[in-house]
Amino acid sequence: MTDKKPILLIALGGNALIQKGQTGTADQQFENLNLPMKQIAELSRKYRVVITHGNGPQVGNLLLQQESCDEVPKMPLEVIGAMTQGQIGYMIESSLDTALMEMGVDEEQDFVSLITYVVVDENDPAFQKPTKPIGPFYTEAEAAKLSYNLVKTDKGYRRVVASPKPVAIVECKEIKKLIDMDFIVICCGGGGIPVVRKERRFSGVEAVIDKDLASSVLAREINADIFIVASDVEGAAVDWGKPEQRLLRKVALPEIKEYVKAGHFPEGSMGPKVNAVIQFVESTGNRGIICNLDDIQKSVEGVAGTEICQ
Ligand code: ADP
Ligand code: MG
């Protein structure tokens, strides 16, 4: 039996495909993927790679498309989520294939993009208090005709859905088998399609799971050797946005937990990344890092990003 390469799970942030200020044309998304995929292609020579990704802007665009057309039936959020797993999976897979070809990798590398369900608890308190804004902004008059839960923001009204905790990855067994067979697996897109289990059946629910927390559940399930959360910042900083802001480079669990308690990492952005990595490092003792998308390789080498250590 040959020695297996270590497993590297990389969670790609929203800006891997659409950067701030971009509308998200197909060309932009392919272009943005170039650098992350080049790095991942190189890393895949030494690691068995699993890729997860966000889908916020893509869900937003699909919702906007369906809200602006009454001739075609509107799809529920779970179906929109599945659509984005397909479109983003395709973009990642084809960009990675190109990167491997450009590197001159001769041997065949198998890939698979997997539609992934993630189980949530129907009694999760998050369902009582929807907090996650999604889709377009509405005027007061438009909002009055809608049956969604809405929040008022500076730019108008916006639909909000619950963001329950991920409990288990439904396709975990399949993912493990594919990793063992040396496939590069792209999965858990957008945090997975949230489902609740009723006896042996799963049904989709209207919610959005945080992709960093879902990726952490997967990283623990597959016992990843390294778990990387790649975003548009160098890492996690304390006193973010203040003159005394300080990037954390190597930080021990007890210390970062103190910073969490002190409120340095907001919900909905850095908070879930830090918690995702804490949960992973605590339960596996393996390496967990938050870094910039441009620094994925450097952070594997230990010279960039915020690494949370035991
Ligand atoms: P992603 O799409 O990668 O999940 P998010 O926007 O959710 O990205 O989270 C990354 C953002 O978190 C950064 O762009 C930064 O503005 C913000 N942020 C908030 N607090 C911090 C902090 N303490 N350290 C670093 N970044 C932070
Ligand atoms: Mg995020």
Side-chain angles (χ1 to χ4, degrees):
M1 200 174 126
T2 51
D3 273 347
K4 289 280 187 195
K5 295 184 278 190
I7 299 173
L8 171 62
L9 190 154
I10 304 167
L12 298 174
N15 62 312
L17 288 114
I18 304 183
Q19 294 178 358
K20 283 187 183 121
Q22 293 184 332
T23 52
T25 64
D27 283 348
Q28 284 170 341
Q29 299 193 53
F30 278 117
E31 168 76 27
N32 293 335
L33 279 172
N34 279 341
L35 183 56
M37 290 309 133
K38 188 168 177 289
Q39 298 180 71
I40 293 176
E42 282 170 15
L43 286 165
S44 72
R45 302 302 87 200
K46 287 193 192 152
Y47 294 89
R48 287 179 286 164
V49 174
V50 179
I51 302 170
T52 63
H53 59 85
N55 70 349
Q58 290 81 2
V59 165
N61 284 351
L62 284 174
L63 287 173
L64 191 59
Q65 273 177 358
Q66 70 170 14
E67 299 275 318
S68 42
C69 167
D70 287 328
E71 285 159 52
V72 178
K74 298 196 192 327
M75 291 295 130
L77 197 53
E78 69 202 78
V79 177
I80 303 263
M83 288 177 178
T84 66
Q85 290 188 344
Q87 78 177 70
I88 299 171
Y90 161 65
M91 286 180 160
I92 291 179
E93 211 176 296
S94 58
S95 305
L96 191 52
D97 201 18
T98 306
L100 284 163
M101 259 186 324
E102 283 173 0
M103 266 171 61
V105 173
D106 288 335
E107 75 267 34
E108 200 173 312
Q109 172 66 61
D110 293 318
F111 300 94
V112 67
S113 301
L114 205 74
I115 297 292
T116 318
Y117 301 169
V118 172
V119 178
V120 297
D121 179 355
E122 61 188 324
N123 297 315
D124 190 311
F127 284 109
Q128 305 306 316
K129 210 172 118 249
T131 53
K132 177 85 185 165
I134 56 159
F137 293 90
Y138 304 102
T139 62
E140 194 160 356
E142 286 166 341
K145 291 186 216 143
L146 297 168
S147 56
Y148 306 137
N149 286 309
L150 296 160
V151 277
K152 199 176 171 183
T153 72
D154 296 347
K155 293 200 261 171
Y157 287 83
R158 209 160 171 213
R159 179 176 173 191
V160 279
V161 295
S163 187
K165 283 198 192 72
V167 175
I169 314 290
V170 175
E171 292 78 7
C172 203
K173 199 172 76 194
E174 290 84 341
I175 294 170
K176 282 184 190 162
K177 280 189 187 167
L178 290 163
I179 298 170
D180 267 346
M181 287 157 62
D182 265 328
F183 276 70
I184 295 180
V185 187
I186 301 152
C187 58
C188 276
I193 300 165
V195 294
V196 292
R197 194 177 185 142
K198 296 224 165 69
E199 287 158 17
R200 293 195 56 196
R201 297 186 59 160
F202 293 108
S203 49
V205 287
E206 196 181 81
V208 168
I209 303 171
D210 183 273
K211 69 116 185 15
D212 298 316
L213 297 179
S215 303
S216 176
V217 172
L218 179 64
R220 281 172 272 159
E221 283 275 1
I222 63 175
N223 196 24
D225 294 274
I226 311 182
F227 172 37
I228 292 190
V229 179
S231 182
D232 60 353
V233 278
E234 273 180 78
V238 286
D239 294 313
W240 174 254
K242 296 184 191 162
E244 63 273 29
Q245 175 177 324
R246 178 170 61 90
L247 175 73
L248 301 168
R249 280 284 295 114
K250 287 221 176 349
V251 55
L253 280 172
E255 188 182 343
I256 195 134
K257 285 183 179 175
E258 286 302 314
Y259 298 139
V260 171
K261 259 194 234 155
H264 288 277
F265 314 116
E267 274 313 308
S269 62
M270 192 47 69
K273 297 184 198 305
V274 168
N275 285 329
V277 176
I278 288 177
Q279 288 163 14
F280 171 75
V281 173
E282 209 155 43
S283 93
T284 63
N286 295 344
R287 297 181 65 202
I289 308 165
I290 298 163
C291 73
N292 193 297
L293 276 159
D294 300 348
D295 294 334
I296 296 173
Q297 270 174 308
K298 280 193 190 161
S299 69
V300 169
E301 289 159 20
V303 295
T306 299
E307 181 155 352
I308 299 177
C309 314
Q310 261 194 325

